[in-house]
Structures are given as structure tokens and as C-alpha cells.
Amino acid sequence: MSDVQPLVHARGLVKRFGDFVAVDGIDIDVAPGEAFGFLGPNGAGKSSTMRMISCVSMPSAGELRIFGMDPVREGPRIRGRLGVCPQLDNLDPDLTVRENLTTYARYFGLSRAQARARAEELLEFAQLRDRASSRVEPLSGGMKRRLTIARAMVNEPDLVLLDEPTTGLDPQARHLLWERLFRLKQQGVTLVLTTHYMDEAEQLCDRLVVMDGGRIVAEGSPRSLIESYSSPEVVELRFGGQELAGFVAPLDGVGDRVDVLPDRILLYAKDGDAAVSEVHRRELVPSSVLVRRSSLEDVFLHLTGRTLVE
Amino acid sequence: MVTLTVARLVSGRVSVGRVGAVVGRNVGALRSGASYWLVLVSGFFEPLLYLLSIGVGVGALVGRIPVGDGRVVSYAVFVAPAMLAVSAMNGALSETTFNFFFKMRYAKTFEAILATPVRPIEIALGELSWAMVRSSVYTALFLVVMVVLRLADPVWALAAFPATMLVGLSFGALGMAVSTLLRGWQDFDLMTAAQFSLFLFSGTFSPVADYPGVLAVVVRVTPLYHSVELVRGLASGVPQWGLLGHAGYLVVMAVAGLWFAARRIERVLCA
Ligand SMILES: Nc1ncnc2c1ncn2[C@@H]1O[C@H](COP(=O)(O)OP(=O)(O)OP(=O)(O)O)[C@@H](O)[C@H]1O
Ligand SMILES: [Mg+2]
């Protein structure tokens, strides 16, 4: 990290709204070419952080440098090299799909001809060519999201910020978007994204931080986080409608750790099948058993004691 | 002093290109929106209908009215410049109140723009420029009507045109400033009421000198009064040094409104 200047550099970054502390002193470095993720539940402070990085909202305290520049003094220059996809689409309802792209390009100082050419490329990228002359409002959620992401690319940014790029999309639309983002990453574009989805973080991010209550509670690659905060496999046990707390003592020692959720018990183990055998040997009779690989969801649960509610 | 404030506000960092891009966005919206044209046209006809019904119609029952240097003019000639100032006001306000509010609070248009290099002051300048375009189209057409109806001399009509641009500029800026403070659509009723009161009591339909004492004082601090006096002074060919005072009032209002609106956009959208 020392030989290459990080694109995003934050130390003790704080965002306050009145007395409320939304971001509570976080440190981040994002290297060029990296895909960096913020993972966290509602209200963790992900969007507040993203808005500071996008140089729209000013930090309340701490140090923030984007491309090595100070957002307070060089906002326009920094924003000229950023692509921003906000959590909620803010496409222009008075304009057509194509005009949304050309108009946006003009804000970045592209000439009319450049804007038109760029819009055509991005219509292709977003697979919206056949809707180019349509207004924005009748588009489906997935199409709007694709257009918003395409719009963020209009200035060929060095750094793209995506706040929950796939929330609210059906699995098919989500996979299409992942594929698009993956292509960007391969072109060397640096991505910073937030998500509630574990699979998304695992798919897209080289490195991520888990945020909770405005703080960073863990940091690393998806693999390394799973290795440090979970076990290789997880057994999910359900016991019909029975009181689950009563099973904690009988299950003691079966795995590395036991977590009781409202509807099921999670058993963390190196070998899931062996753990299941041990459960049966102790004459416990779950109504259902599922052995799966451990995921970031489990990391999150372990770190915060809460599930990520989507 | 005023130019100094303007200079600081629009100091080197303001990019003409980015202001132009904000104006361009509105041109695009105009092109793609059929309903917009309807609003545009209806906004022009309102003051014209008042001119015809009251200025010409009621004017037939009213005697001649004194203007400036002891001259007297027909009632229609007296009312026409006032309606001209009103059309400048309406053109600018309809752009910077309703449309501006929608873009700022509902459509999140400004929010999207602020993620680009465009700055709050550049949004405000772009919106204001666009409002002036609309207002100037109204007043140019209105002046043509006045000349055709022989309510103004062509040369003086030409002289009045820049004055109507100033009126558009200052009301546009005022409208933006107020819009940034509105909480919701319900507040528009209040604004419409305020606008209508200005329309009725700004020396529009009778000389302010004839107003009862307190009202005359109140009217003299409101913006449409100064607009009407300025525009009437030029359109009816009675320029006086006093017109500079009215113009000064409008310039101050334009600068203050612009500055305030830019500050509020930043406050509200860059939290
Ligand atoms: N403009 C604001 N004014 C006051 N409070 C705010 C503002 N923006 C965010 N907050 C508060 O800051 C906290 C963090 O919000 P933020 O939007 O950053 O969370 P998030 O991690 O993005 O959540 P989500 O997953 O729901 O999008 C929340 O409690 C929120 O209510
Ligand atoms: Mg958020």
C-alpha cells in the first residue's frame, strides 16, 4: 500500500448528524484496481460513508483523501473522476433514457458529440438500446438500476462507487449486473460498493470491511474473514416448534461454537457431517438438518450477534 | 458593492460550461415533455388576458391617468407596462418555484447533478438563466402585442426589454430562494396567495400615490412595485433618474436570492 497511492484514504473519519454519530471514526485504504466492499446491516453508516467518499457530504471530523486530494477544497476535480451509483435511483424523469446519459455527460464537460457517442456505448453496456427513446419512469427496476450504473460510467471514471447496486432486483437481474460489474473490474476500474448480500460481497469484493453502528468491526478478504471468524462448515438444525434454548447444553462440544437464532440453531464445525453424526449419537432428533459451507453471513452473525436482515 | 458580491459569488471557480449544462438539461426536458409546452403557453396568456379585459375593457370606463412628468395616458397604456412586468415575474416564478421545487425535493435531479463536478452555485445560476430565458420569451412577445395595440412606442418598447429581463432575473432568484424553504406542496397555496396580492397591489391597476397611507408604504417595499415602476417608466417613455433606484432594488434582490438559494441547496442536499 505504501508504494502505490491509495485512491481512497480515510483516517478517523466521522460523520455526525446533529448529536447522532452515523460514522464513528473509520480507517480505510482502497488501492487502485481493487474491488472494496462495505458490508453491514441497516443504519450501519455505509451510505453516509459513501456520500463522504463521493465528495457530496463533508466529513464532520477525521482525514479523507480521494486520489490524494482534499474533498473540501477540490470537490469538483475529484467528482470529475468518480462514478456514483446512489442507493436510490435518481434518474431524470423529464428526460429519455438516452438523454439521461447525454445530459449527465455534459455535467462532466464532455462535448455534445462525445456525449452522444458515449451514450451509445453505454446503452449497449446496459442493454437498453431498444428503450433509448423511452422515458425513464416505465422502465423496470432492473433496467433503471442498469441505467443508473451506466450513467455513473459516463465520464470513464477511475473509481466507481456503488451503494447497494443490486438491492431489490430479482436473481436474474442481479446476475446480469454482477457480470457487468465484473467486466468493469477486469478493465481495471476500481470499485467501492456496499451490500447486504453475502454472496454479492463474496462474488465481487477482493477485500471488505464489516460495519456495525458506524464502526468497522472486521476487515479482510471474504475468505480470510470466514477463516478467522467462522468455521469451514455450518450445520443448521431445526426442531419443529420446540424451545431452542434448551438444546444448547445437549449440543455442547459438538462443534466449535453454537448460535441460537429464533427459528434454528447454527452449529459451527470443521466437518459438518461428523457433527451431524454426533448430534444423532446424542439422541437429539432435529426436524431438519442442513450442512453448508460457511459464509459471510456467519461472520457477520458472529461479529455482531445479529443476522443481516435484508 | 453589488458587483463585488457578484464577483465573489461567481469567482473563477464557476464554470460557464457547467452552468450551460444545467440549462441544457432544461432544454432537453422541454423537448421531451409535451405537457411542458401547455404550461408554457398558458403562463403567457394570463397577463395578456388581464390587459385586454381590464386595461382595455374596464379602461373604457376609466379616465386618463397621470404618469411621471405631468403627462396623462389612457388607462390601457397605464396598465400595459404593469402586465408586462407581471409576465416577466410569472415566467421566472413558474420556473423557479414549482419546477425548481420538484427538481430539488422530489425528482432528486439536483442530488444527481451534485455527484458530478457541478457545484450548488452553478445549479442555481443554471436554473436562474433558464428562468430568465422563459421570462424573456414572455416579455418579448408581450412587447410585440403592446406595440401592435399601440400601447407602446417601438423604441421605448425596445428600451423596456432589458428592464423586463432584470425583473425576470430578480424574481427568478427570489423564487428559488423561497422554494428552498418550502416544506411541501401545501406551501404553494401560500405562495400563490402572496403572488396574487403583489399582482393586485403593486401600482398595477392604479397609481400607488392613490393608495391609502399604510398600504402605500407597504407596497413600496415589495418587489413587483419596483418592477412595475421601472418597466412603466421606460415603456411609456418617461425615464427619470429615480428608475435607477428601482433597478438597484432588483439587482440586490437577484444577488441575494441567488446566493441564498445556492447556500440552501448545499445545506439541504449535501448534508
Ligand atoms: N441526512 C441525515 N440526517 C440525519 N440522520 C441521518 C442522515 N443520513 C443518515 N442518517 C442516519 O445515519 C445512520 C446511518 O445511515 P446510513 O444511511 O449511512 O446507513 P446504511 O448503512 O447505508 O443503511 P442501509 O443499509 O439501510 O442503507 C442512520 O441511523 C440514519 O438514520
Ligand atoms: Mg445505505
Side-chain angles (χ1 to χ4, degrees), chain A residues 46-47 87 163-164:
Chain A
K46 305 183 295 295
S47 296
Q87 182 167 355
D163 198 349
E164 299 191 23

mmCIF file of all heavy atoms in Angstrom, chain A residues 46-47 87 163-164, ligand 2:
data_model
loop_
_atom_site.group_PDB
_atom_site.id
_atom_site.type_symbol
_atom_site.label_atom_id
_atom_site.label_comp_id
_atom_site.label_asym_id
_atom_site.label_seq_id
_atom_site.Cartn_x
_atom_site.Cartn_y
_atom_site.Cartn_z
ATOM 1 N N LYS A 46 -23.072 2.835 6.086
ATOM 2 C CA LYS A 46 -22.473 2.575 4.777
ATOM 3 C C LYS A 46 -22.720 3.745 3.815
ATOM 4 O O LYS A 46 -21.795 4.268 3.215
ATOM 5 C CB LYS A 46 -23.055 1.295 4.161
ATOM 6 C CG LYS A 46 -22.932 0.060 5.037
ATOM 7 C CD LYS A 46 -23.470 -1.180 4.342
ATOM 8 C CE LYS A 46 -24.975 -1.143 4.068
ATOM 9 N NZ LYS A 46 -25.809 -1.140 5.280
ATOM 10 N N SER A 47 -23.985 4.137 3.686
ATOM 11 C CA SER A 47 -24.297 5.216 2.743
ATOM 12 C C SER A 47 -23.661 6.526 3.179
ATOM 13 O O SER A 47 -23.184 7.297 2.340
ATOM 14 C CB SER A 47 -25.809 5.397 2.620
ATOM 15 O OG SER A 47 -26.389 4.249 2.077
ATOM 16 N N GLN A 87 -27.796 4.846 -3.607
ATOM 17 C CA GLN A 87 -28.641 3.741 -3.122
ATOM 18 C C GLN A 87 -30.009 3.760 -3.793
ATOM 19 O O GLN A 87 -30.525 2.721 -4.190
ATOM 20 C CB GLN A 87 -28.789 3.845 -1.599
ATOM 21 C CG GLN A 87 -29.606 2.717 -1.000
ATOM 22 C CD GLN A 87 -29.484 2.653 0.520
ATOM 23 O OE1 GLN A 87 -28.720 3.391 1.133
ATOM 24 N NE2 GLN A 87 -30.247 1.779 1.122
ATOM 25 N N ASP A 163 -23.688 2.115 -4.253
ATOM 26 C CA ASP A 163 -24.358 1.916 -2.976
ATOM 27 C C ASP A 163 -25.517 0.938 -3.173
ATOM 28 O O ASP A 163 -26.530 1.285 -3.752
ATOM 29 C CB ASP A 163 -24.862 3.257 -2.437
ATOM 30 C CG ASP A 163 -25.178 3.193 -0.953
ATOM 31 O OD1 ASP A 163 -25.213 2.078 -0.394
ATOM 32 O OD2 ASP A 163 -25.400 4.269 -0.346
ATOM 33 N N GLU A 164 -25.335 -0.269 -2.711
ATOM 34 C CA GLU A 164 -26.315 -1.344 -2.870
ATOM 35 C C GLU A 164 -26.779 -1.479 -4.317
ATOM 36 O O GLU A 164 -27.960 -1.309 -4.624
ATOM 37 C CB GLU A 164 -27.513 -1.120 -1.945
ATOM 38 C CG GLU A 164 -27.086 -1.117 -0.489
ATOM 39 C CD GLU A 164 -28.260 -1.160 0.472
ATOM 40 O OE1 GLU A 164 -29.334 -1.615 0.063
ATOM 41 O OE2 GLU A 164 -28.079 -0.734 1.614
HETATM 42 MG MG MG C 2 -27.499 2.834 2.764
#
